[in-house]
């Protein structure tokens, strides 16, 4: 920790890992997303371990959930993105895989939120775009968060980039972040490391820090 001009400046994961200033963000651990990742069940297990440690030690836990807009109500960017991801040229061929209330939209049962935990739905990749996440964290005095979930190269990277612009210290838990394309995930980690402003750790190391006295 560094101190200057009346400020405390966390620099390391050890500095940030305090329930007064760090939360846990579990990103898009939905039935329809987890099953797309070869090691999805391993990521579920790591997220559960982190969630349980956070609960035990008083860290706030937030979840994101990706939501599809019904095709007939979707806008230009939503349709264009869906066409690219679904590899179709005609908007009429697009389907909405994560409609509210559908089985694919639900969080996996192992990560059912507790009564004091919050789920924010989103239609963008950054967890901060169009959600109350930033307001909720700032209102708690939280300036850092550990993030785990799926997928690193699609949604977690833009969330981390957005977070650094907002003044947070984001911490990626590498063995708890799943990826559909490993080379893209490695590029994402390398780019974020080059840009600075974020940190990486693993599940066991973060849990150990959470349990320190």
């Amino acid at each position: 920790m560094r101190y200057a001009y009346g400020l405390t400046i966390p620099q390391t994961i050890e500095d940030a890992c305090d329930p007064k200033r760090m939360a846990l963000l579990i990103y898009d651990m939905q039935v329809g997303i987890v099953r797309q990742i070869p090691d999805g069940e391993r990521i579920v297990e790591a997220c559960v371990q982190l969630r349980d440690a956070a609960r035990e030690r008083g860290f706030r836990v937030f979840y994101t959930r990706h939501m599809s807009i019904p095709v007939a109500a979707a806008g230009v960017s939503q349709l264009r993105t869906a066409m690219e991801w679904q590899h179709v040229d005609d908007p009429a061929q697009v389907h909405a895989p994560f409609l509210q209330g559908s089985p694919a939209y639900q969080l996996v049962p192992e990560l059912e939120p507790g009564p004091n935990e919050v789920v924010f739905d989103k239609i963008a990749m950054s967890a901060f775009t169009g959600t109350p996440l930033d307001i909720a964290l700032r209102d708690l005095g939280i300036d850092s968060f550990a993030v785990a979930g799926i997928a690193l190269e699609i949604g977690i990277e833009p969330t981390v980039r957005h977070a650094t612009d907002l003044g947070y210290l984001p911490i990626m838990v590498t063995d708890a972040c799943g990826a559909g394309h490993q080379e893209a995930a490695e590029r994402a980690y390398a780019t974020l490391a080059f840009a600075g402003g974020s940190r990486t750790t693993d599940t066991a190391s973060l849990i150990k820090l959470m349990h320190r006295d």
Side-chain angles (χ1 to χ4, degrees):
M1 193 81 72
R2 294 293 183 266
Y3 305 90
Y5 312 109
L7 302 172
T8 60
I9 306 169
Q11 293 183 293
T12 67
I13 299 167
E14 290 83 354
D15 292 340
C17 192
D18 181 327
K20 296 184 181 68
R21 72 184 317 152
M22 189 187 87
L24 174 64
L25 178 63
I26 297 177
Y27 187 97
D28 289 9
M29 289 297 289
Q30 295 161 254
V31 171
I33 294 177
V34 169
R35 67 189 179 200
Q36 297 181 38
I37 305 298
D39 59 347
E41 290 306 312
R42 183 184 64 78
I43 302 300
V44 170
E45 182 179 348
C47 286
V48 168
Q49 292 173 6
L50 290 166
R51 189 272 317 273
D52 290 349
R55 286 176 175 176
E56 182 179 347
R57 302 302 290 182
F59 291 83
R60 264 80 174 202
V61 180
F62 294 88
Y63 304 77
T64 65
R65 184 169 49 195
H66 198 77
M67 176 183 72
S68 296
I69 294 177
V71 174
V76 172
S77 68
Q78 292 290 303
L79 289 172
R80 181 172 57 239
T81 300
M83 290 165 63
E84 291 176 357
W85 279 105
Q86 295 171 29
H87 306 292
V88 298
D89 294 324
D90 184 352
Q93 295 179 300
V94 165
H95 68 278
F98 304 112
L99 289 171
Q100 283 184 312
S102 68
Y105 160 87
Q106 306 298 335
L107 295 175
V108 294
E110 297 93 330
L111 290 166
E112 179 71 23
N116 298 317
E117 297 167 356
V118 182
V119 184
F120 292 133
D121 283 356
K122 60 182 181 58
I123 61 172
M125 293 300 106
S126 169
F128 292 97
T129 298
T131 78
L133 180 60
D134 183 41
I135 296 172
L137 294 176
R138 291 188 191 280
D139 206 28
L140 290 164
I142 288 173
D143 59 10
S144 180
F145 61 90
V147 59
I150 300 170
L152 185 280
E153 77 279 25
I154 302 302
I156 292 175
E157 179 190 10
T159 295
V160 168
R161 284 185 170 277
H162 197 168
T164 58
D165 279 346
L166 291 171
Y168 293 95
L169 177 61
I171 300 163
M172 293 168 285
V173 188
T174 56
D175 60 342
C177 290
H181 192 285
Q182 193 56 43
E183 289 183 5
E186 290 170 3
R187 288 195 299 269
Y189 279 128
T191 300
L192 290 169
F194 178 80
S198 61
R199 303 289 185 268
T200 58
T201 188
D202 59 70
T203 299
S205 297
L206 187 59
I207 290 175
K208 183 177 180 179
L209 286 174
M210 285 178 167
H211 281 89
R212 67 182 172 177
D213 293 327

